[in-house]
Every structure is written in C-alpha cells, then in structure tokens.
Amino acid sequence: MAASSIRFGPGVTAEVGMDFRNLGVRRVALVTDATLRALRPVEVAVAALERERVRYAVYADVRVEPGEGSIKHAVSWAKAEQPDAFLAVGGGSVMDTAKLMNLYTCYPSASFLDFVNKPLGGGRPIDKPLKPLICVPTTAGTGSETTGTAIFDLAGKRAKTGVAHRALKPLLGICDPLNTRTMPSAVHASSGLDVLCHSLESWTAIPYHERVPRPTNPILRPAYQGANPISDIFSLQALRATVKYLPRAVRDPDDAEAQSQMLLAATLAGVGFGNAGVHLCHGMSYPISSQNPARYHHPGYVVPHPIIPHGVSVAVTAPAVFRFTGPSNPDRHLAAAEIFGVDIANVKSESAGEVLSEALSEFLVKLGDQPRGLKALGFSEGDVDGLVEGTIPQRRVLMLAPNLASEEEAEKGREQLRGLFLDAMEY
Amino acid sequence: MAASSIRFGPGVTAEVGMDFRNLGVRRVALVTDATLRALRPVEVAVAALERERVRYAVYADVRVEPGEGSIKHAVSWAKAEQPDAFLAVGGGSVMDTAKLMNLYTCYPSASFLDFVNKPLGGGRPIDKPLKPLICVPTTAGTGSETTGTAIFDLAGKRAKTGVAHRALKPLLGICDPLNTRTMPSAVHASSGLDVLCHSLESWTAIPYHERVPRPTNPILRPAYQGANPISDIFSLQALRATVKYLPRAVRDPDDAEAQSQMLLAATLAGVGFGNAGVHLCHGMSYPISSQNPARYHHPGYVVPHPIIPHGVSVAVTAPAVFRFTGPSNPDRHLAAAEIFGVDIANVKSESAGEVLSEALSEFLVKLGDQPRGLKALGFSEGDVDGLVEGTIPQRRVLMLAPNLASEEEAEKGREQLRGLFLDAMEY
Ligand SMILES: NC(=O)c1ccc[n+]([C@@H]2O[C@H](COP(=O)([O-])OP(=O)(O)OC[C@H]3O[C@@H](n4cnc5c(N)ncnc54)[C@H](O)[C@@H]3O)[C@@H](O)[C@H]2O)c1
Ligand SMILES: NC(=O)c1ccc[n+]([C@@H]2O[C@H](COP(=O)([O-])OP(=O)(O)OC[C@H]3O[C@@H](n4cnc5c(N)ncnc54)[C@H](O)[C@@H]3O)[C@@H](O)[C@H]2O)c1
Ligand SMILES: [Fe+2]
Ligand SMILES: [Fe+2]
C-alpha cells in the first residue's frame, strides 16, 4: 500500500509557499469555493505564496458537492490558465474539483467520460504523472488529501460517480487544525460522519485475500484492495477517534483538541479506505445525494442549491447497512460496537450486526440534527427502484460489500439493495 | 510523512518478476547472503525472475552486520555489473548493503564518506533518484524495507554509522511471511528485539514540535521528525504485536500466525521509527556492536566472525534507557508498561520509568537466551569511556533522546551516557 505525504500540525499552512518554491513551480492555480475565499485558510495560503513570490491565480467557483457542469467549468478555466501546479484549499468538493482540473489539463483532448469509472464512463487508466497538487483540507471529513479519488454528480445518470486512480493522489496533504475551526457545526457533523463511515466500511470490507477476480499482475490491482492488516490499523484508530471526538467537535466550536483529533482521524481514515475501499453506505449514497427528489436542503449548509451533504447521505443508511453486513464477520462488527461503548461480553455473534446498528443509531441521535432515515430526507417507497438503479453501477465499491450477491446474481443483488433502502427509511 | 509501498501476504514473493517487468527493468542485481543463497526466499525470487525472463546476477557475499570493507566489496561488484535495478532478499544486513550498492553505483565518483552521517562522514544529501530497489525481508526485525537508512560498521571510528536519506527508501517492500519461517530461533529473538526497541524508542522520542533546531524550510526537515500522531499509531501497534507474538515466534518454529504478525509488526515499526526516529538504545548500540572487546559470538548465529547482533545490542540497554527517560513523559512510559501487562492503576508517575524498565527486564528474561546486561557480553567498567566516545557522534538519533543534555552541555551529556552504560552492565 502506498500513502501520500501528509504534514500535520497547527500553522503548517504557512509553509506551502516554500513547498512550491522547492518544487520549482512558477505559477499555481489556487482552487477554493466562495465561502472559503473569504476565510483564514485561503488568506494564510495566499500570504505564503506571496512571501515566496510564487505567482498564482484563484479559482473560487467550486460548487459544493460538484457536478458535471461545475467540473467542466473549472476545467476550462484551468485549460486557459495553464498553471504548473495546483493548490486546493477547501473540503472534499474543492479537493476533488482540483484533482479533475489537473487531470483534464494534462489530457487536454480527452473526452470527459474517458476516465470516469466504468460502467458510467470508460475507466481509462491515467498513464502519466499529473502536475503537482497540494491539498489543504478545511473540513475533517473526506480524507481526499490522501486518496486517488474524485467524486462528482453525473446528473444524467441520476448518481454520483467519479475518477479513481493512484495518479490522482495529491503530492502532499497539509493538515492544519487551525483551518477547520471556522466550519459551521453542521459541516463538522456531516464531514465527521463521512469519517465514521470511511472507517466502518473499510474495517468491514471484504478481506483483501477474498476479493475476486484476482489480478494476474500486481499492476492490475485496484486502488481498493479490500480490508488488510495495514488499512485495519488506520481504520480502527480513525473509528476510535471519531466516536470520542466528533460529539465534542460538533458541540463546542472552541474545543481545539477535538477539532485537531478529528482532522487527524479524517486523514487516517482516508489512508485506510483509500487502500481497503468503502462499500454499501457509499455505494447507496451516490444516488441518494444525486436524486434528492424533495429538493432537501440540509440546515446549516450555506449553499444556493438543494443539498443532501455527502456525510449525511452515507450515515443515513449506516444502521441498515451494518445490520445487513453483520453475519459476514461478527467479530469485526462486535469490535466496532465495543468502540461505541457497548459491553459485548455476552453478545451472541448472530446479533453482531443488530448490536452495531443500534449503537450507530444511538450515536447519530445523540449527535443531533441528523435525519432519522431516508423518509426525513423526503424519500418514499416509490423512490426505491430509482435508488437501486443508481446503486447498481457503483461496482467499484459494491465489489467490496460483504454479503452482497455477486454481479452474476443480478436479481438477488437488486433484491438485497431494495431491502436495504427500505430498511433505511427510518431508524 | 511518506511511506514506501508495502505488499504483504503469504506468497507475494512470486510476483517480484512481474514487478521488475512492469518497471521495464532488464537486468537485476539480486543481493543476498551466503545462508539465504540456499534457502526458499532466494529460490522463489529467482524462479519469479526467470518466469518473467528478467536477467539477473547474484551477489551473495553480504556480510552479516556489514562493515566498511564488506560494503566496498559489494559496491565494486555492482559498479562492474551495472544493473538497472536491485533486489534485496535477506535481513537488514542484506537490505542495507543493497541500498549502498545502489547509492554508490549512481554516484560512481563519490568518495565513500561523502554521504555518511555527520560528523563521521560528510552528510552529503542525495540529490537525484536512485535505481529501483525492491526489498524482500527474511527477518522480522529491521523494517529496512520501509526506511531510508543503511547502517554499517566504521571500524576505524569504533562505532556503527550509516547513510540516512529519503532517496534510499526502497520502491517496494515485499513482506511475505513464508520467507521468515527458516529463521533460527536466535534470529527470531534478536530481530524481534529490534522491533521492540524501534517501537519503544519512537513512541518515547522527543515530540515533533519540540525538536530543535526548527528547519526554516520544510525540505530541510530530517527524516527523523520526533514522535508524532501518525508515527504513534504505527509504533504502538507494533509494540502490542511484539509483546504478544514475539515469545510465541521464538518458542515455536511452526507458529505461522505469530511469525506473520511479527513480520507485520517489523514493517509497521519501520514506518513508525522511520518517521519519528529512534534514540538511546540505538545510539548506544552502535559502539556496543562495533567494539565487542571480548569478541562475543551470539549463540545461534551461523557466521564466521564474532557478533553482538543488532537486536541484542539495542535490547541490552533498554531497561537502563527507559528508567532514564521515564521522567520526560511518564504517561507514555506507563502506557507502554500497560502493554506489557502491568496494572498501572496505582502507579505514581515518578515511578513510570522504573515500572517500564522492570516490565522490560522481565520480558527479556522470559524470552530466554538474552545476555542480562553488558557484562554478559564481555564489557567491563573500563570499557565505558570508549562506549561513550562511540555514542557521542550519533547525533542523528541522540537529538531525539528525551532527558539527554543538549550538544552545548557536552560534559553533562557524557556524564549521563556514562551513567546509562554503567546501569546497563547488569539487569
Ligand atoms: N475524494 C474522496 O476520496 C472523497 C471521499 C468522500 C467524499 N468526497 C466528496 O467530497 C465532497 C464533500 O466534501 P466535504 O464534506 O469536505 O465538504 P465540502 O467541501 O462540500 O464543504 C461543505 C461546506 O462547508 C464549507 N466549508 C468547508 N470548510 C470550511 C471551513 N473551514 N470554514 C467554513 N466553511 C467551510 C464549504 O464552503 C461548503 O459550504 C462530496 O462531493 C463528496 O462526494 C470525496
Ligand atoms: N536500515 C535500517 O533501518 C536498520 C534498522 C535496524 C537495524 N539495521 C541493521 O540491520 C542489520 C541486522 O539485520 P537483521 O536483524 O535483519 O539480521 P541479518 O540480516 O543480520 O541476519 C542475521 C542472520 O540470520 C540469517 N537469516 C536471515 N533471514 C533468515 C531466514 N529467513 N532463514 C534463515 N536464516 C536467516 C542471516 O543469514 C544471518 O546469518 C544490522 O546491521 C543492523 O544495524 C538496519
Ligand atoms: Fe465519503
Ligand atoms: Fe534497529
């Protein structure tokens, strides 16, 4: 497994000018969104570039939860600017957009769907190094500063999808806990729930030695390898930290320790799931966020469009998902439940999924302001077939889902997903 | 922090031919030692190269615990062979020798001491990428497959030293638990004690935010950064695994689970200490191994020369070292003692060092066949001044030692080291 470089510590953002100087970069594209444009993380990054006399151009039009249209807009800006390197200052929306700006500027004649994951896109591998990208996360969530993944909404397909390849990995992630302090409490919560699901899903993903098909050559291994002894360490540690610190970070905007620990947890979970993979919560979240039939707008998100934030969309099915996956590996589900504080001494292994599911529901309810199921987001039973159809193409993650029928048994898999969405209507 | 790529799993050695093919390598130098030459790990690696028609030349003259002379011999072989890449199959002795073969073949006109750590050598930074090196560890010890360090004995200086630079990091570590099965029990024990000290020293090293001097530019940061939240995770996990599995791996040559867990622990500890650093056990071990005044030959080591194996030389001072460092961070010392099974509920923080020291002594005694102090290795009080003089130049690691006087207070530092060596005479 390979990890990007990570630099962690309060104040490290101020070094980013020197990093670009050391790389011999002359002109940087600073990518951010409209909210962050006016906040401290961008201010510090800009000052760092100016101090080292690195030229830069700012793109602040990133869409929160990017879509095909916003990505294309960003790419055409980058193609005109022709920067030597990219600097993303923001949450997953900003980092993912910057990754794609980099990709399509390096492949100017590629068509948009070429690199997008199969079967929605062509799944073309990236066969050359891209320009240097440095990521400065401002949420404690996606771990995108460590991964080779970029996610966006392909509205025509009624689901999110993305590009996933090692070559998209940032050169360096600068994790500075001073940068997450201004997050609204709602963003703390939903980005933290993303960390929770990254860690739980990677911990319970199919183990690396059971993933099929086995590649004939190590170069053909997917980035998502299945749970393995190294990813386990990252995932469990991130889970422990999230259970302990997320409630504090959401409750108290001045709890610097909790914020710092959550930023670290997000990065660790990123390394964990970036190698092991995620599965059902993520696979099912892509149509949930994309379809949003009731034009739900999550309270606390200051954006000009309806939004089911990514973290909300993954957590909302988690109680149903881990009830379903429990039988695949009761020990791991019990170990997770124990981290939530459940006394597992007398729990039977048949109940492992149920027990973890209950611990999760309780955690979500106590965290506050979370929709208690898909109904609260405006979905009804009539939406389930559409959700299932939007999940089926998420092969890249579904192949890591324990207990799910294989592609060959398509009808059984559909039935299982239908059951999961129905179960997720209310918890 | 940056990590090398690691591939872990039984049987993965057989893939190494494809790895070189994927890299477009035509001719590999396979580096190993005389014992391993005849054993399974080399056999499997050779078959893998042949299957993929990758040409190779074998160098099997690595000295166990290399010295200046054996390194120079290996380098001149490599200069004559001019391979495109290196494949190390062996323990730390083999991997470190291969790193230096690679270095000096890429800098053919450099003089031997140029790159060696200051003040014994010139400390010249490596300013270009070296040839690809793939490491296949056959001991569960050094973690050298993940680090940018190569250690050898500079007999003229009466201490081990080495070269340390990120560019020495192997491209890939292939960690295959089938390769450590043939280790003699004595090698299991001493390489495992190396893991124990890597994890304990990196866990207790000066924290990254206290290390001085602070570099003015991130590129000037040393590879050894001090203990940090990411290295902590690796180090603690390695410590837990070592305490649990090393006694089993030493006792039972058929305990495949314990062996596999120890190989993983060695790699994890390598990532931990490769980023955080080691300190006193290692700094003091370099003159111990080098000076060996009584020509001690550790039982179970099949080598034609006297040897205080690296793992033995680091563990022998550990009870004295952690008694000394205890006051710098009682919480961390207690957390470590707890991993050894000590009930720390009622331990006062003043006793943290003592309690960890006792837990360590007990662990070493129970492990069996370990010298109970420097006396048992043939050192006497008259040797202490020489040992101190051999330790002083180990700045790279001493600067991470908690509680030790700084370079400016040279006399105080000498006095502390003298005290440590005397305390280490017997435990
Ligand atoms: N690439 C990956 O590996 C990966 C993994 C998970 C999720 N994602 C994607 O990332 C996106 C979600 O990213 P996110 O959760 O980090 O949030 P985000 O980037 O969508 O930002 C959410 C909101 O918070 C604001 N914000 C962010 N940081 C702030 C700060 N410090 N102070 C004040 N406001 C701040 C933003 O302006 C925005 O309004 C989704 O599109 C999701 O699909 C990607
Ligand atoms: N580079 C680093 O980061 C680093 C860290 C710690 C130690 N070291 C160095 O590594 C060296 C010690 O390495 P080590 O402890 O791995 O041992 P080693 O390489 O010195 O080998 C010890 C003995 O075990 C034998 N052996 C190894 N694997 C075997 C197997 N699978 N089956 C049978 N016999 C086997 C060897 O032939 C040798 O006789 C020292 O020189 C030490 O200074 C380097
Ligand atoms: Fe996510
Ligand atoms: Fe060592």
Side-chain angles (χ1 to χ4, degrees):
Chain A
M1 101 172 206
S4 314
S5 259
I6 288 296
R7 188 182 300 148
F8 185 92
V12 289
T13 313
E15 297 176 346
V16 74
M18 286 186 273
D19 289 313
F20 283 115
R21 256 242 170 294
N22 295 338
L23 289 167
V25 162
R26 301 160 57 108
R27 197 175 146 73
V28 172
L30 192 167
V31 183
T32 191
D33 69 27
T35 302
L36 284 158
R37 178 76 189 91
L39 295 177
R40 185 188 168 285
V42 170
E43 198 183 299
V44 173
V46 161
L49 295 175
E50 292 184 345
R51 205 177 317 116
E52 297 293 319
R53 297 206 178 73
V54 177
R55 285 189 299 145
Y56 62 94
V58 177
Y59 181 82
D61 290 341
V62 166
R63 186 184 198 269
V64 177
E65 310 257 334
E68 187 177 349
S70 79
I71 298 288
K72 283 183 173 161
H73 184 272
V75 168
S76 58
W77 178 89
K79 281 184 174 173
E81 285 290 333
Q82 288 293 331
D84 304 330
F86 292 83
L87 170 60
V89 183
S93 298
V94 167
M95 295 187 275
D96 288 6
T97 301
K99 287 175 182 175
L100 296 169
M101 291 164 85
N102 190 1
L103 173 64
Y104 289 104
T105 322
C106 291
Y107 285 92
S109 54
S111 90
F112 189 68
L113 284 177
D114 275 3
F115 293 98
V116 170
N117 298 323
K118 282 185 188 168
L120 300 177
R124 173 174 166 190
I126 304 176
D127 56 8
K128 63 180 183 193
L130 306 182
K131 294 191 169 147
L133 162 64
I134 297 183
C135 282
V136 182
T138 64
T139 60
T142 67
S144 183
E145 67 279 8
T146 72
T147 69
T149 308
I151 303 289
F152 59 89
D153 188 28
L154 206 59
K157 305 286 183 176
R158 307 192 67 217
K160 283 184 170 188
T161 180
V163 181
H165 193 279
R166 288 180 182 79
L168 280 186
K169 277 196 188 182
L171 184 70
L172 175 65
I174 296 191
C175 298
D176 183 341
L178 302 180
N179 288 338
T180 56
R181 309 207 64 174
T182 46
M183 263 196 281
S185 164
V187 179
H188 265 302
S190 52
S191 60
L193 291 176
D194 195 16
V195 182
L196 190 77
C197 290
H198 291 161
S199 57
L200 277 171
E201 287 172 71
S202 50
W203 168 242
T204 54
I206 283 186
Y208 73 110
H209 47 80
E210 286 177 17
R211 181 175 47 77
V212 283
R214 296 199 71 72
T216 49
N217 181 315
I219 212 175
L220 300 174
R221 283 209 182 111
Y224 285 5
Q225 316 242 334
N228 61 71
I230 301 189
S231 65
D232 285 350
I233 296 169
F234 285 88
S235 304
L236 271 188
Q237 177 64 24
L239 180 61
R240 274 189 215 106
T242 304
V243 170
K244 179 162 176 193
Y245 294 109
L246 180 58
R248 282 172 48 180
V250 169
R251 219 174 304 124
D252 178 2
D254 293 324
D255 189 336
E257 185 197 0
Q259 286 166 13
S260 172
Q261 293 290 340
M262 277 309 299
L263 179 58
L264 182 60
T267 298
L268 297 177
V271 178
F273 94 83
N275 285 278
V278 281
H279 56 78
L280 287 163
C281 299
H282 272 74
M284 293 166 67
S285 83
Y286 297 136
I288 293 174
S289 273
S290 177
Q291 296 179 9
N292 193 359
R295 302 182 61 73
Y296 173 89
H297 191 132
H298 194 63
Y301 267 66
V302 195
V303 293
H305 51 77
I307 184 167
I308 303 177
H310 175 66
V312 171
S313 72
V314 289
V316 72
T317 63
V321 162
F322 295 101
R323 184 179 299 122
F324 171 82
T325 57
S328 67
N329 194 331
D331 287 352
R332 289 199 168 221
H333 287 71
L334 287 177
E338 193 169 24
I339 291 176
F340 283 94
V342 178
D343 176 1
I344 59 162
N346 299 310
V347 179
K348 292 213 189 73
S349 59
E350 302 90 83
S351 318
E354 187 56 43
V355 163
L356 176 56
S357 170
E358 274 165 25
L360 263 167
S361 308
E362 197 188 316
F363 182 84
L364 293 169
V365 170
K366 280 200 185 145
L367 194 66
D369 298 325
Q370 292 305 310
R372 296 182 65 158
L374 289 170
K375 269 200 188 139
L377 293 172
F379 288 85
S380 65
E381 297 191 4
D383 299 312
V384 166
D385 286 342
L387 290 170
V388 171
E389 291 318 305
T391 307
I392 298 287
Q394 313 292 339
R395 264 190 221 155
R396 198 174 58 96
V397 297
L398 294 188
M399 68 186 231
L400 293 163
N403 253 10
L404 191 69
S406 68
E407 256 187 283
E408 287 69 50
E409 307 170 279
E411 203 35 57
K412 182 169 173 212
R414 277 202 165 72
E415 214 34 72
Q416 290 178 311
L417 288 172
R418 215 171 278 138
L420 277 162
F421 280 113
L422 287 172
D423 192 20
M425 281 291 162
E426 228 167 333
Y427 62 76
Chain B
M1 101 173 207
S4 314
S5 260
I6 288 296
R7 188 182 303 149
F8 185 91
V12 288
T13 313
E15 296 175 347
V16 74
M18 285 187 271
D19 289 314
F20 283 116
R21 257 243 170 292
N22 294 339
L23 289 167
V25 162
R26 301 160 57 108
R27 198 175 144 74
V28 172
L30 193 166
V31 183
T32 191
D33 69 27
T35 302
L36 284 157
R37 180 75 187 92
L39 295 176
R40 187 189 167 284
V42 169
E43 196 183 301
V44 174
V46 162
L49 295 173
E50 292 184 346
R51 205 177 318 115
E52 298 293 321
R53 298 206 177 72
V54 178
R55 285 189 298 143
Y56 63 93
V58 177
Y59 181 82
D61 289 343
V62 167
R63 185 183 198 269
V64 177
E65 310 256 334
E68 186 178 350
S70 79
I71 298 289
K72 284 182 172 159
H73 184 272
V75 168
S76 58
W77 179 89
K79 281 184 175 171
E81 286 290 333
Q82 289 293 329
D84 303 331
F86 292 83
L87 170 60
V89 183
S93 298
V94 168
M95 295 188 275
D96 288 6
T97 300
K99 287 175 181 175
L100 296 169
M101 292 163 86
N102 190 0
L103 173 64
Y104 290 104
T105 323
C106 291
Y107 286 92
S109 54
S111 89
F112 189 69
L113 284 176
D114 276 3
F115 293 98
V116 170
N117 298 324
K118 281 184 187 168
L120 300 177
R124 174 175 166 191
I126 303 176
D127 56 8
K128 63 179 184 197
L130 307 182
K131 295 194 169 144
L133 162 64
I134 296 183
C135 282
V136 182
T138 65
T139 61
T142 68
S144 183
E145 67 280 7
T146 72
T147 70
T149 308
I151 303 289
F152 59 89
D153 189 28
L154 205 58
K157 305 286 183 176
R158 307 190 69 218
K160 284 186 170 185
T161 179
V163 180
H165 193 278
R166 287 179 183 78
L168 280 186
K169 278 196 188 183
L171 183 72
L172 174 65
I174 296 192
C175 299
D176 182 342
L178 301 181
N179 287 338
T180 56
R181 309 207 66 175
T182 46
M183 264 197 281
S185 165
V187 179
H188 265 302
S190 52
S191 61
L193 291 176
D194 195 16
V195 183
L196 190 76
C197 290
H198 291 161
S199 57
L200 277 171
E201 288 173 71
S202 51
W203 168 242
T204 55
I206 284 186
Y208 73 109
H209 48 79
E210 286 176 17
R211 181 175 46 78
V212 284
R214 296 198 71 72
T216 50
N217 182 316
I219 212 175
L220 300 174
R221 284 211 180 107
Y224 284 6
Q225 317 241 331
N228 61 71
I230 301 188
S231 64
D232 285 350
I233 295 169
F234 285 89
S235 304
L236 272 188
Q237 178 65 25
L239 180 61
R240 274 189 216 105
T242 304
V243 169
K244 179 162 175 193
Y245 294 108
L246 181 57
R248 282 173 47 180
V250 170
R251 220 174 303 125
D252 179 1
D254 292 325
D255 189 337
E257 185 197 1
Q259 287 167 11
S260 172
Q261 293 291 339
M262 276 309 301
L263 180 59
L264 182 60
T267 297
L268 297 177
V271 178
F273 94 84
N275 284 277
V278 282
H279 56 78
L280 287 162
C281 300
H282 272 73
M284 293 165 66
S285 82
Y286 297 137
I288 294 174
S289 273
S290 177
Q291 297 179 10
N292 193 0
R295 303 184 59 76
Y296 174 88
H297 191 133
H298 194 63
Y301 268 65
V302 194
V303 294
H305 51 76
I307 185 167
I308 303 178
H310 175 66
V312 171
S313 72
V314 290
V316 73
T317 64
V321 162
F322 294 101
R323 184 180 298 123
F324 171 82
T325 56
S328 68
N329 195 331
D331 287 352
R332 286 197 171 225
H333 287 70
L334 287 177
E338 194 171 23
I339 290 176
F340 283 94
V342 178
D343 175 2
I344 59 163
N346 299 310
V347 179
K348 294 214 189 75
S349 59
E350 302 90 83
S351 319
E354 186 57 43
V355 164
L356 176 56
S357 171
E358 274 165 26
L360 263 167
S361 309
E362 198 188 314
F363 182 84
L364 294 169
V365 170
K366 279 201 187 145
L367 195 65
D369 298 324
Q370 292 305 310
R372 294 182 67 158
L374 290 170
K375 269 201 190 138
L377 293 172
F379 288 86
S380 65
E381 297 192 2
D383 299 313
V384 166
D385 286 341
L387 290 170
V388 171
E389 292 319 305
T391 308
I392 298 286
Q394 313 292 340
R395 262 190 223 155
R396 200 174 57 97
V397 296
L398 294 187
M399 68 185 231
L400 293 165
N403 254 10
L404 191 69
S406 69
E407 255 187 281
E408 287 68 51
E409 307 170 280
E411 203 34 59
K412 180 167 175 218
R414 276 202 166 71
E415 214 35 71
Q416 290 179 310
L417 288 172
R418 214 171 279 137
L420 277 162
F421 279 114
L422 287 173
D423 191 19
M425 282 292 161
E426 227 165 336
Y427 63 75

